[in-house]
Amino acid sequence: MLDAHDVGAGFEDFLAAHADRLKRALVATYGSARGTEATAEALAYAWEHRERVMGMTHPVAYLYRVGQSRTRGRKRRVVFTIPDAADPWIEPKLAPALAALSERQRVVVVLVHGFGWELGEVGDLLGIKVTSVQNHLERGLAKLRTALEAS
Amino acid sequence: MNTDTRSPLPEQLRAIVDGVDTPTFADIRVHASAPKRTRSPRTRVAIGLAAVLVFIALGAGVVAFLDRTENTDPARRPVATTVPTNCIITITNYAGCEMTAKRAQRYLGFRPRVPQNVPEGWVQQPSRLKIYRSQFDPASLPPGATEVTEFFQIWAPRGSPPIADRPAAFTCTPDLVVRQRMALVGEDALRTDAGTVDLGNGRVVNGTLGPEACVTGGPVDPHGDLFWGDQGRYFSLTTNDIPNDQILAIARSLDR
């Protein structure tokens, strides 16, 4: 039987493996503020139900839904905060251009183009087909580039 | 713009998204142990308003249901719990009380209709409400009913003396008396033991049109005496000195 320390250590390993991925998906979906809240809510849920969640095959997809449902009542405009003294330099128009994409286009562009997720992984996360992910990626990137070139 | 200073798009995307800190284990444990987020005041107000609206809607539904039930049951008419005592018919007050149609509505349980096509030069006299209770004349009330409330509207030629009530025996004075109340059980149907008159609008009512004997002289002609039930309401029309065609037009105006 695991003691409290072992349980905590196990969860920390779980966080190390999945927390960043979950945060990226939720921040891409909702922007910096609600994305952060959704991540915290989802991970708190994971801690409260750790035995079940840690045994899941795709915990990030599950917790992504938890984050969505737990912040459903906190809708707000999607805004991306550019970090102070960002390194690398970030195009000023990128944040609003990203926010202007549709939610799915934004998630796909960030996760596939930015973080190198496989199309199938994003498809599992969003519950859509790989071909749809591909379409969202192409359209999202086209819109993003158009917006950035216009600047 | 010098594009050489630009970083690749993927790198910029990562910088934006990873600029947000990932919650640490300590953060998560604190978050999990914190009280759950309560609803905002605006949400609470909205929920409260919704609850009030649902409550009102339920109340209105119950009232509508009871009203529909009462329309067909004279023993359960929606008579106000307290009625003006001077409207109650007694041995010394057979005329009831003066009352406007608007006020009578609360005692009748429906809004009284007002007849059209009244003869020119005739004026309306004060309307009256009469409440019959069993202690005065049990024989006049239907079985099971303890009270019957009627609304009287009266028209007569200008200058006529007040007709507080139509007497039981005809005096042959020119007048038009309209009585309205909740229908008693069975009054919606045409009676077979009374004459019938076709109003000309598809409605056949009970009653007669023709001469009537008067106690104060010879017959009065024309004379009309029509009555019918409709959708839980009872209408009675009694006229002297109004042509038959006009009587029918007046009756049709009440049969909407």
Side-chain angles (χ1 to χ4, degrees):
Chain A
M1 187 174 179
L2 295 174
D3 61 19
H5 180 268
D6 292 331
V7 171
F11 192 73
E12 283 194 273
D13 292 341
F14 173 84
L15 287 182
H18 303 294
D20 278 338
R21 288 170 65 82
L22 177 67
K23 175 201 71 179
R24 288 163 186 162
L26 285 168
V27 169
T29 305
Y30 295 126
S32 303
R34 186 179 164 191
T36 306
E37 287 177 21
T39 307
E41 293 279 4
L43 291 176
Y45 177 92
W47 169 248
E48 291 163 357
H49 304 84
R50 50 191 172 276
E51 286 185 16
R52 186 160 59 88
V53 173
M54 287 165 67
M56 290 178 175
T57 311
H58 299 291
V60 172
Y62 182 83
L63 292 174
Y64 178 76
R65 305 261 177 245
V66 171
Q68 285 183 311
S69 62
R70 286 208 162 189
T71 59
R72 189 166 288 135
R74 304 177 212 174
K75 288 178 182 168
R76 62 184 77 162
R77 199 159 60 89
V78 175
V79 175
F80 290 95
T81 308
I82 296 183
D84 295 332
D87 183 24
W89 177 86
I90 297 172
E91 166 68 52
K93 292 274 185 181
L94 178 57
L98 199 56
L101 297 181
S102 74
E103 185 176 297
R104 286 193 169 173
Q105 287 174 351
R106 189 166 56 243
V107 174
V108 171
V109 165
V110 168
L111 296 183
V112 175
H113 195 65
F115 290 95
W117 285 33
E118 300 290 334
L119 297 181
E121 289 180 299
V122 181
D124 289 342
L125 181 83
L126 299 178
I128 58 177
K129 293 178 183 175
V130 170
T131 51
S132 299
V133 176
Q134 182 68 41
N135 287 336
H136 286 307
L137 178 64
E138 289 169 4
R139 290 174 188 168
L141 278 176
K143 281 171 70 175
L144 203 55
R145 285 180 176 134
T146 302
L148 294 177
E149 283 166 9
S151 66
Chain B
M1 179 180 291
N2 180 6
T3 53
D4 292 341
T5 61
R6 287 186 175 183
S7 307
L9 181 59
E11 203 174 324
Q12 294 184 52
L13 290 172
R14 286 196 296 273
I16 286 181
V17 173
D18 277 347
V20 176
D21 292 332
T22 306
T24 64
F25 184 34
D27 295 336
I28 293 162
R29 294 184 70 163
V30 168
H31 195 93
S33 62
K36 296 301 176 201
R37 181 190 173 98
T38 56
R39 294 187 174 97
S40 71
R42 199 169 61 176
T43 306
R44 284 201 298 271
V45 168
I47 290 173
L49 278 175
V52 168
L53 288 175
V54 167
F55 184 77
I56 290 171
L58 283 173
V62 169
V63 168
F65 174 76
L66 291 177
D67 188 45
R68 194 178 59 179
T69 306
E70 285 159 349
N71 277 349
T72 57
D73 185 352
R76 300 177 59 196
R77 290 188 325 279
V79 173
T81 51
T82 56
V83 296
T85 52
N86 62 335
C87 299
I88 299 171
I89 301 304
T90 66
I91 201 74
T92 56
N93 175 23
Y94 195 73
C97 59
E98 285 187 14
M99 189 174 286
T100 62
K102 186 177 179 183
R103 185 160 174 239
Q105 183 177 348
R106 77 176 74 163
Y107 304 108
L108 278 177
F110 64 92
R111 190 179 193 87
R113 293 174 185 168
V114 178
Q116 308 295 312
N117 306 306
V118 175
E120 270 188 49
W122 288 32
V123 295
Q124 187 173 12
Q125 297 191 358
S127 301
R128 310 191 72 83
L129 189 76
K130 295 185 179 185
I131 299 172
Y132 298 93
R133 285 188 168 170
S134 55
Q135 66 268 28
F136 171 58
D137 186 5
S140 67
L141 293 176
T146 57
E147 191 171 279
V148 170
T149 303
E150 275 194 337
F151 185 62
F152 282 66
Q153 293 166 296
I154 304 161
W155 281 261
R158 191 182 305 279
S160 299
I163 305 170
D165 180 27
R166 185 171 188 82
F170 295 108
T171 56
C172 300
T173 53
D175 58 21
L176 160 64
V177 178
V178 176
R179 294 187 294 141
Q180 299 182 57
R181 58 172 166 76
M182 300 295 273
L184 305 178
V185 174
E187 281 188 328
D188 268 354
L190 207 59
R191 282 170 53 171
T192 56
D193 59 346
T196 57
V197 173
D198 190 341
L199 295 187
N201 63 348
R203 162 88 66 185
V204 176
V205 301
N206 280 126
T208 57
L209 297 175
E212 181 65 60
C214 308
V215 295
T216 55
V220 60
D221 190 12
H223 166 81
D225 188 5
L226 306 177
F227 57 95
W228 69 95
D230 178 32
Q231 298 177 28
R233 301 177 189 184
Y234 175 85
F235 300 90
S236 166
L237 183 66
T238 308
T239 68
N240 283 326
D241 247 7
I242 297 178
N244 288 352
D245 287 349
Q246 198 162 359
I247 295 174
L248 294 176
I250 293 170
R252 283 195 297 269
S253 73
L254 291 168
D255 183 42
R256 293 190 293 257

